[in-house]
């Protein structure tokens, strides 16, 4: 069972990721909006999830939670690379491939949030 504050932060992080997913899956992708929304996701993760000690939250309580946070951090870094490559792509087919990769990675992050939230109910 996670501390009472953590589920709220994971739920908020999931909502921010879902907003990013909606931007990332648009047919006419607004690359500027994608980059801005990704910045918000990174900021939320760094400040509310990883920086939880400074916000009065307990540090991760279980090795499993720490493992998820480590994997989420890694996936966010890789998502940043996906978005950077998407920003640089000029060929439509390449851009679509990068967009799909970014969307898949966001979905993975949402799945991690779901897994952590499920731990809250156990």
């Amino acid at each position: 069972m996670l501390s009472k504050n953590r589920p709220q932060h994971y739920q908020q992080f999931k909502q921010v990721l879902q907003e990013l997913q909606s931007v990332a899956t648009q047919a006419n992708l607004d690359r500027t909006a994608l980059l801005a929304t990704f910045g918000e996701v990174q900021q939320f993760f760094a400040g509310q999830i990883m920086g939880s000690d400074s916000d009065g939250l307990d540090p991760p309580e279980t090795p499993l939670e720490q493992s998820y946070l480590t994997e989420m951090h890694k996936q966010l870094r890789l998502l940043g690379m996906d978005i950077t490559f998407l920003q640089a792509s000029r060929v439509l087919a390449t851009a679509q491939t990068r967009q799909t990769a970014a969307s898949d990675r966001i979905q993975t992050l949402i799945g991690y949030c779901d897994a952590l939230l499920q731990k809250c109910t156990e």
Side-chain angles (χ1 to χ4, degrees):
M1 181 98 166
L2 303 177
S3 68
K4 64 181 180 177
N5 293 331
R6 283 220 177 267
Q8 178 184 2
H9 282 79
Y10 291 139
Q11 184 63 44
Q12 290 171 339
F13 185 56
K14 180 180 174 183
Q15 289 171 347
V16 173
L17 286 169
Q18 288 170 332
E19 290 172 23
L20 179 61
Q21 181 76 305
S22 69
V23 172
T25 56
Q26 293 175 352
N28 291 326
L29 180 64
D30 181 348
R31 295 178 186 199
T32 305
L34 178 64
L35 193 57
T37 307
F38 177 66
E40 293 171 14
V41 168
Q42 283 183 307
Q43 190 173 24
F44 186 92
F45 185 77
Q48 300 296 316
I49 304 295
M50 295 304 284
S52 61
D53 290 337
S54 62
D55 291 323
L57 294 177
D58 297 328
E61 296 177 356
T62 65
L64 179 63
E65 183 182 5
Q66 184 61 54
S67 295
Y68 274 111
L69 292 178
T70 300
E71 188 62 25
M72 290 168 83
H73 185 258
K74 180 183 94 173
Q75 291 295 324
L76 275 172
R77 286 192 337 262
L78 292 171
L79 178 58
M81 294 300 295
D82 290 338
I83 290 173
T84 299
F85 289 138
L86 175 59
Q87 296 286 333
S89 63
R90 300 293 172 236
V91 177
L92 180 60
T94 304
Q96 289 173 336
T97 301
R98 300 287 186 196
Q99 186 176 4
T100 300
S103 177
D104 291 346
R105 202 168 304 279
I106 296 165
Q107 195 57 48
T108 298
L109 285 161
I110 291 170
Y112 291 152
C113 287
D114 287 337
L116 285 167
L117 288 167
Q118 184 177 0
K119 286 290 176 199
C120 298
T121 61
E122 292 178 353

